[in-house]
Coordinates of all heavy atoms in Angstrom, one line a residue:
R157 N 51.7 -0.1 93.1 CA 51.0 -0.5 94.3 C 49.7 0.4 94.5 O 48.9 0.1 95.4 CB 51.8 -0.4 95.5 CG 53.0 -1.4 95.5 CD 53.7 -1.4 96.8 NE 54.2 0.0 97.1 CZ 54.6 0.5 98.2 NH1 54.7 -0.3 99.3 NH2 55.0 1.7 98.3
Q158 N 49.6 1.4 93.7 CA 48.5 2.4 94.0 C 47.8 2.7 92.7 O 48.4 2.5 91.6 CB 49.1 3.7 94.6 CG 50.1 4.4 93.7 CD 51.4 3.8 93.7 OE1 51.9 3.3 94.6 NE2 52.1 3.9 92.5
D159 N 46.6 3.2 92.8 CA 45.8 3.6 91.6 C 46.2 4.9 91.1 O 46.3 5.2 89.9 CB 44.3 3.6 91.9 CG 43.8 2.2 92.2 OD1 44.3 1.2 91.6 OD2 42.8 2.1 93.0
R160 N 46.5 5.8 92.0 CA 46.8 7.2 91.6 C 47.7 7.8 92.7 O 47.5 7.6 93.9 CB 45.5 8.0 91.6 CG 45.7 9.5 91.4 CD 46.1 9.9 90.0 NE 45.2 9.4 89.0 CZ 45.6 9.4 87.7 NH1 46.7 9.8 87.3 NH2 44.7 8.9 86.8
I161 N 48.7 8.6 92.3 CA 49.6 9.3 93.2 C 49.1 10.7 93.3 O 48.9 11.4 92.3 CB 51.1 9.2 92.7 CG1 51.6 7.8 92.8 CG2 51.9 10.1 93.6 CD1 53.0 7.6 92.2
V162 N 48.9 11.2 94.5 CA 48.4 12.5 94.7 C 49.5 13.2 95.6 O 49.9 12.7 96.6 CB 47.1 12.6 95.5 CG1 46.7 14.0 95.7 CG2 46.0 11.8 94.7
V163 N 49.9 14.4 95.1 CA 51.0 15.1 95.8 C 50.3 16.4 96.4 O 49.7 17.2 95.7 CB 52.1 15.6 94.9 CG1 53.1 16.4 95.6 CG2 52.7 14.4 94.2
L164 N 50.4 16.5 97.8 CA 49.9 17.6 98.5 C 51.0 18.6 98.8 O 52.0 18.2 99.5 CB 49.2 17.2 99.8 CG 48.7 18.3 100.7 CD1 47.6 19.1 100.0 CD2 48.2 17.7 102.0
I165 N 51.0 19.8 98.3 CA 52.0 20.8 98.5 C 51.5 21.9 99.4 O 50.7 22.7 99.0 CB 52.5 21.4 97.1 CG1 53.0 20.3 96.2 CG2 53.6 22.4 97.4 CD1 53.3 20.8 94.8
P166 N 51.9 21.9 100.7 CA 51.5 22.9 101.6 C 52.2 24.2 101.3 O 53.4 24.2 101.0 CB 51.8 22.4 103.0 CG 52.9 21.4 102.7 CD 52.7 20.9 101.3
E167 N 51.5 25.3 101.3 CA 52.1 26.6 101.1 C 51.6 27.7 102.1 O 50.5 27.6 102.5 CB 51.8 27.1 99.7 CG 52.4 26.2 98.6 CD 52.1 26.7 97.2 OE1 50.9 26.9 96.9 OE2 53.0 27.0 96.4
M168 N 52.4 28.6 102.4 CA 51.9 29.8 103.2 C 51.3 30.8 102.3 O 51.8 31.1 101.2 CB 53.1 30.5 103.8 CG 53.9 29.6 104.8 SD 55.2 30.6 105.7 CE 56.3 31.0 104.4
H169 N 50.1 31.2 102.6 CA 49.4 32.3 101.9 C 49.6 33.6 102.8 O 48.9 33.8 103.8 CB 48.0 32.0 101.7 CG 47.3 33.1 100.9 ND1 47.4 33.2 99.6 CD2 46.5 34.1 101.3 CE1 46.7 34.3 99.2 NE2 46.2 34.9 100.2
L170 N 50.6 34.4 102.4 CA 50.9 35.6 103.2 C 50.1 36.8 102.8 O 49.6 36.8 101.7 CB 52.4 35.9 103.1 CG 53.3 34.7 103.6 CD1 54.7 34.8 103.0 CD2 53.3 34.8 105.1
P171 N 49.9 37.7 103.7 CA 49.0 38.8 103.5 C 49.4 39.8 102.4 O 48.5 40.4 101.7 CB 48.9 39.5 104.8 CG 50.1 39.1 105.6 CD 50.5 37.8 105.1
R172 N 50.7 40.0 102.2 CA 51.1 41.0 101.2 C 51.7 40.4 99.9 O 52.4 39.4 100.0 CB 52.1 41.9 101.8 CG 51.7 42.5 103.1 CD 52.1 44.0 103.2 NE 51.9 44.6 104.5 CZ 50.7 44.8 105.1 NH1 49.6 44.4 104.5 NH2 50.6 45.4 106.2
P173 N 51.4 40.9 98.8 CA 51.9 40.3 97.5 C 53.5 40.2 97.5 O 54.0 39.2 97.0 CB 51.5 41.3 96.4 CG 50.3 41.9 97.0 CD 50.5 42.0 98.5
W174 N 54.2 41.2 98.0 CA 55.6 41.1 98.0 C 56.1 39.9 98.9 O 57.1 39.3 98.6 CB 56.3 42.4 98.4 CG 56.0 42.9 99.8 CD1 55.0 43.7 100.2 CD2 56.8 42.5 101.0 NE1 55.1 43.9 101.6 CE2 56.2 43.2 102.1 CE3 57.9 41.8 101.2 CZ2 56.7 43.1 103.4 CZ3 58.4 41.7 102.5 CH2 57.8 42.3 103.5
Q175 N 55.4 39.7 100.0 CA 55.8 38.5 100.9 C 55.6 37.2 100.1 O 56.4 36.3 100.2 CB 54.9 38.6 102.2 CG 55.2 39.7 103.1 CD 54.2 39.9 104.2 OE1 53.0 39.6 104.0 NE2 54.7 40.3 105.3
R176 N 54.5 37.1 99.4 CA 54.2 35.9 98.7 C 55.2 35.7 97.6 O 55.7 34.5 97.3 CB 52.8 35.9 98.0 CG 51.7 35.9 99.1 CD 50.3 35.7 98.5 NE 49.8 36.8 97.7 CZ 49.1 37.8 98.2 NH1 48.8 37.8 99.5 NH2 48.7 38.8 97.5
L177 N 55.7 36.8 96.9 CA 56.7 36.7 95.9 C 58.0 36.2 96.5 O 58.7 35.3 95.9 CB 56.9 38.0 95.2 CG 57.9 38.1 94.1 CD1 57.4 37.2 93.0 CD2 58.1 39.5 93.7
L178 N 58.4 36.6 97.6 CA 59.7 36.3 98.2 C 59.7 34.9 98.8 O 60.7 34.2 98.9 CB 60.1 37.3 99.3 CG 60.4 38.7 98.8 CD1 60.7 39.6 100.0 CD2 61.6 38.6 97.9
R179 N 58.5 34.4 99.3 CA 58.5 33.2 100.2 C 57.8 32.0 99.5 O 58.0 30.9 100.1 CB 57.9 33.5 101.5 CG 58.6 34.5 102.3 CD 58.1 34.6 103.6 NE 58.8 35.7 104.4 CZ 58.8 35.8 105.6 NH1 58.2 34.9 106.4 NH2 59.5 36.7 106.2
N180 N 57.1 32.1 98.5 CA 56.3 31.0 98.0 C 56.7 30.4 96.7 O 55.8 29.9 96.0 CB 54.8 31.5 97.9 CG 54.0 30.9 99.1 OD1 54.5 30.2 99.9 ND2 52.7 31.2 99.0
Q181 N 57.9 30.4 96.4 CA 58.3 29.9 95.1 C 58.5 28.4 95.0 O 58.4 27.8 93.9 CB 59.6 30.6 94.6 CG 59.4 32.1 94.5 CD 58.3 32.6 93.7 OE1 58.1 32.1 92.6 NE2 57.4 33.4 94.2
R182 N 58.8 27.7 96.1 CA 59.1 26.3 96.0 C 57.8 25.5 95.6 O 58.0 24.5 94.8 CB 59.5 25.8 97.4 CG 60.9 26.2 97.7 CD 61.4 25.7 99.0 NE 62.8 26.1 99.2 CZ 63.4 25.8 100.3 NH1 62.8 25.2 101.3 NH2 64.6 26.2 100.5
G183 N 56.7 25.9 96.0 CA 55.5 25.2 95.6 C 55.2 25.2 94.1 O 54.9 24.2 93.5
A184 N 55.4 26.4 93.5 CA 55.2 26.5 92.1 C 56.3 25.7 91.3 O 55.9 25.1 90.3 CB 55.3 28.0 91.7
V185 N 57.5 25.8 91.8 CA 58.6 25.0 91.1 C 58.3 23.5 91.2 O 58.4 22.8 90.2 CB 59.9 25.4 91.7 CG1 61.0 24.5 91.2 CG2 60.3 26.8 91.4
L186 N 57.9 23.1 92.3 CA 57.6 21.6 92.5 C 56.4 21.2 91.7 O 56.4 20.2 91.1 CB 57.4 21.3 94.0 CG 57.4 19.9 94.4 CD1 58.6 19.1 93.9 CD2 57.2 19.8 95.9
D187 N 55.4 22.1 91.7 CA 54.2 21.8 90.9 C 54.5 21.6 89.4 O 54.1 20.6 88.8 CB 53.2 23.0 91.1 CG 51.9 22.8 90.4 OD1 51.9 22.4 89.2 OD2 50.9 23.1 91.0
R188 N 55.3 22.5 88.9 CA 55.7 22.4 87.4 C 56.5 21.1 87.1 O 56.2 20.5 86.2 CB 56.4 23.6 87.0 CG 55.5 24.8 86.7 CD 56.3 25.9 86.0 NE 57.3 26.5 86.8 CZ 57.2 27.5 87.7 NH1 56.0 28.0 87.9 NH2 58.2 27.9 88.4
A189 N 57.4 20.8 88.0 CA 58.2 19.6 87.8 C 57.4 18.3 87.9 O 57.6 17.4 87.0 CB 59.4 19.6 88.8
V190 N 56.5 18.3 88.8 CA 55.7 17.0 89.0 C 54.8 16.9 87.8 O 54.6 15.8 87.3 CB 55.0 17.1 90.3 CG1 54.0 15.9 90.4 CG2 56.0 16.9 91.5
R191 N 54.1 18.0 87.4 CA 53.2 17.9 86.3 C 53.9 17.6 85.0 O 53.4 16.8 84.1 CB 52.5 19.3 86.1 CG 51.4 19.6 87.1 CD 50.8 20.9 86.8 NE 50.1 21.4 88.0 CZ 48.8 21.0 88.3 NH1 48.2 20.2 87.5 NH2 48.2 21.5 89.3
R192 N 55.1 18.1 84.8 CA 55.9 17.9 83.6 C 56.4 16.4 83.5 O 56.4 15.8 82.4 CB 57.1 18.9 83.5 CG 57.9 18.7 82.3 CD 59.1 19.7 82.3 NE 60.0 19.3 83.4 CZ 60.4 20.1 84.3 NH1 60.1 21.4 84.3 NH2 61.2 19.7 85.3
D193 N 56.9 15.9 84.6 CA 57.6 14.6 84.6 C 56.9 13.4 85.2 O 57.5 12.3 85.2 CB 58.9 14.8 85.4 CG 59.9 15.8 84.7 OD1 59.8 16.0 83.5 OD2 60.6 16.5 85.4
T194 N 55.7 13.6 85.7 CA 54.9 12.4 86.2 C 53.5 12.5 85.9 O 53.0 13.5 85.3 CB 55.1 12.3 87.8 OG1 54.3 13.4 88.3 CG2 56.5 12.5 88.2

């Protein structure tokens, strides 16, 4: 029904690298799966 499927993945950009490491993994995991399988 569509020409192109676009997936918008919202993520928090936290001020400290250790905060980003602890809290921002879902976006990267979802990104890899969508790119690999669709």
Side-chain angles (χ1 to χ4, degrees):
R157 295 184 305 165
Q158 63 284 326
D159 292 329
R160 173 72 55 197
I161 295 176
V162 178
V163 177
L164 176 63
I165 302 173
E167 296 177 304
M168 296 184 297
H169 182 79
L170 297 161
R172 306 221 189 295
W174 65 268
Q175 293 169 326
R176 291 191 292 271
L177 181 64
L178 291 175
R179 298 189 183 199
N180 253 1
Q181 301 307 307
R182 288 183 179 173
V185 170
L186 189 56
D187 181 315
R188 280 191 298 274
V190 171
R191 286 181 197 275
R192 181 185 62 231
D193 297 331
T194 73

